[in-house]
Amino acid sequence: MEGRGLTKVLITWELGGGLGHLTPIRTLAGKLLDRGHEVCLAVRDLVSAGSLFEGLPVSYYQSPHRIEPFRPEIDPPVTYEHMLHNIGFGTEPGLNALSSAWVQIFEHCKPDAVLFEHSPVAMFAARAYGFRKAVTGTGFTVPPTPLPLIRPWMRSDESGLQAGRRRTLSMVNAVAGRFGNPPLGDLSEVYGDADVFLRTYPELDHFGRRQAACYVGIDVDDNGKKPQWPYGDGPKIFAYLKPFQGFQDAILKIHRLKLPTIVFCPGLRKEDVVNLETAYPSMLFSTELLCMNHVAVHCDVAVCHGGHGMVARMLIAGVPVVAIPLQLEQTLLSQRLAESGAGIQLAIKDVSQLGEAINHILANEKYYQNAGRMSEAYFDEAKQGSWQRIAEWVDES
């Protein structure tokens, strides 16, 4: 389908790591180019983007972001305002410098529309501009209004929280004044001047289902290598694990099940792969990007850290998940997974129970029924892709 006319689109990515942000941007950028639009990227990781976007006629900018050795000023952050404070909204000079750098990108690029992927400072800096704006991402990167607690299990003093909000807002408004922008009444207004496209599902929204929200789901594609499963009988396991503190214990527990298993661990060295496959012959270890369509069709249970893309991809294929979260965002998503009844959340300290958790899923049909409901509801929509409604929004620019 051709677009209605040439639109210059800037896609930004400011916060977070890994391919979970770049991969959907790559899919969307390709579709926008196919529809006749011009695409510019301001991304956090130019090297990874250069490899992923190779062959596409896009322009690149380095995304301004906090790069010094990061020590959170509010630790641990309890509210979303605390998190924004820590990543750049907490100091006038820092926010002013970051915002100024974003302004230079906007002035040089001169976009007709901007799509913000986890880019709160960019959104703040764009408030005075008249180009069309949309924010896209998961429930965690696109927070609801009012801004939520991010550690609701921690007891906190409400008066202290309010005082902290006022201090941060005062600094933010001092910077807004330097750019001639009206003051914000609340930090949530950073996100208020944009259309919203949530690349998730209500069941997997980190902060719970939102009324009247635009959920566009995830993309399903065939990129990556199609692995051959190790020889063996019984259900197949797929694990996407980082070399975390409990990695060796997790691998041992999976191996003791004696089931054919593929482990994707991009942090492993080649010699590590050789040693692991020698020690655990029923398991294949890969550091290459794998075709998740192929994996999801063939596996019976997945193990991961609770990353949104992996959990969502497995559930819409009807595959239950054991999640071992390593950080806050994964913890919130793992809680939604457990609440959906389509998987189990396992703390790092309980990695020794991984084998039992996998067996529990394999022996209980309810997990497959709950994952199957997700598949029935969203699989056809995922094949169409989240990009469709966003691309139509760009067409109208």
Side-chain angles (χ1 to χ4, degrees):
M1 173 182 172
E2 294 296 327
R4 297 180 183 177
L6 177 63
T7 296
K8 191 172 189 180
V9 185
L10 173 65
I11 306 176
T12 74
W13 167 42
E14 180 183 329
L15 300 176
L19 296 177
H21 297 280
L22 274 179
T23 301
I25 291 174
R26 167 62 175 82
T27 300
L28 177 60
K31 299 299 182 181
L32 293 178
L33 290 167
D34 290 343
R35 297 163 84 94
H37 302 300
E38 182 180 354
V39 176
C40 302
L41 305 174
V43 294
R44 181 181 180 91
D45 183 350
L46 284 171
V47 174
S48 294
S51 299
L52 195 62
F53 287 76
E54 186 176 11
L56 291 187
V58 299
S59 301
Y60 295 97
Y61 297 93
Q62 175 64 61
S63 166
H65 60 276
R66 190 170 181 170
I67 61 173
E68 82 280 10
F70 184 68
R71 297 181 184 86
E73 297 164 36
I74 302 175
D75 190 20
V78 177
T79 70
Y80 213 91
E81 289 95 338
H82 287 169
M83 187 177 74
L84 292 177
H85 180 103
N86 285 345
I87 58 88
F89 284 79
T91 65
E92 287 185 40
L95 182 60
N96 182 70
L98 290 170
S99 300
S100 297
W102 277 114
V103 165
Q104 292 300 312
I105 291 175
F106 299 146
E107 293 292 334
H108 187 271
C109 180
K110 294 180 169 54
D112 301 301
V114 180
L115 294 166
F116 299 94
E117 165 75 30
H118 208 7
S119 302
V121 176
M123 297 187 72
F124 171 74
R127 293 178 70 228
Y129 287 87
F131 45 65
R132 294 189 75 206
K133 306 177 184 78
V135 55
T136 178
T138 68
F140 188 82
T141 63
V142 185
T145 301
L147 296 179
L149 296 173
I150 58 176
R151 286 183 168 85
W153 55 87
M154 290 186 64
R155 299 186 64 178
S156 54
D157 173 36
E158 183 59 31
S159 62
L161 293 180
Q162 291 295 342
R165 290 186 179 107
R166 288 193 294 270
R167 284 193 300 272
T168 302
L169 188 62
S170 175
M171 288 183 281
V172 169
N173 281 333
V175 176
R178 296 183 188 181
F179 289 90
N181 292 335
L184 286 77
D186 186 85
L187 272 181
S188 64
E189 294 177 20
V190 167
Y191 298 88
D193 188 28
D195 295 309
V196 175
F197 297 99
L198 285 163
R199 285 189 290 98
T200 186
Y201 304 102
E203 297 87 342
L204 296 180
D205 189 330
H206 294 73
F207 299 113
R209 183 186 296 263
R210 307 178 201 187
Q211 298 300 319
C214 183
Y215 289 99
V216 297
I218 66 169
D219 298 299
V220 173
D221 57 49
D222 290 311
N223 295 328
K225 176 184 176 182
K226 294 182 178 180
Q228 295 295 320
W229 293 82
Y231 178 78
D233 296 324
K236 295 180 175 64
I237 301 171
F238 174 73
Y240 177 8
L241 298 173
K242 295 184 177 180
F244 69 110
Q245 183 178 358
F247 179 79
Q248 290 291 345
D249 195 19
I251 295 304
L252 177 61
K253 301 306 180 187
I254 296 174
H255 178 257
R256 286 179 176 172
L257 299 175
K258 302 300 181 184
L259 297 174
T261 300
I262 294 175
V263 180
F264 173 56
C265 184
L268 292 178
R269 300 171 299 176
K270 289 183 179 180
E271 53 266 37
D272 295 330
V273 171
V274 172
N275 293 335
L276 286 166
E277 290 186 342
T278 301
Y280 307 115
S282 63
M283 306 175 76
L284 180 148
F285 292 81
S286 175
T287 60
E288 296 181 69
L289 186 65
L290 302 178
C291 174
M292 295 314 302
N293 283 351
H294 179 82
V295 169
V297 165
H298 291 90
C299 77
D300 297 282
V301 63
V303 180
C304 67
H305 293 301
H308 176 270
M310 179 57 58
V311 172
R313 184 64 192 87
M314 288 297 154
L315 293 191
I316 63 171
V319 180
V321 178
V322 179
I324 310 168
L326 303 181
Q327 37 94 326
L328 174 63
E329 185 176 348
Q330 295 169 347
T331 297
L332 293 172
L333 194 282
S334 299
Q335 290 174 348
R336 300 289 87 78
L337 166 70
E339 290 170 3
S340 76
I344 294 173
Q345 178 184 6
L346 204 63
I348 293 179
K349 65 182 179 62
D350 297 323
V351 165
S352 61
Q353 301 173 24
L354 178 57
E356 289 89 335
I358 294 171
N359 274 333
H360 184 71
I361 285 179
L362 292 172
N364 285 272
E365 185 63 26
K366 67 176 183 179
Y367 292 103
Y368 293 90
Q369 292 172 348
N370 290 326
R373 279 192 280 271
M374 288 278 291
S375 181
E376 290 171 9
Y378 303 121
F379 187 76
D380 289 339
E381 177 183 314
K383 286 193 295 184
Q384 180 181 3
S386 68
W387 64 267
Q388 180 70 32
R389 290 168 75 177
I390 304 174
E392 291 169 356
W393 177 88
V394 173
D395 288 345
E396 297 168 0
S397 298

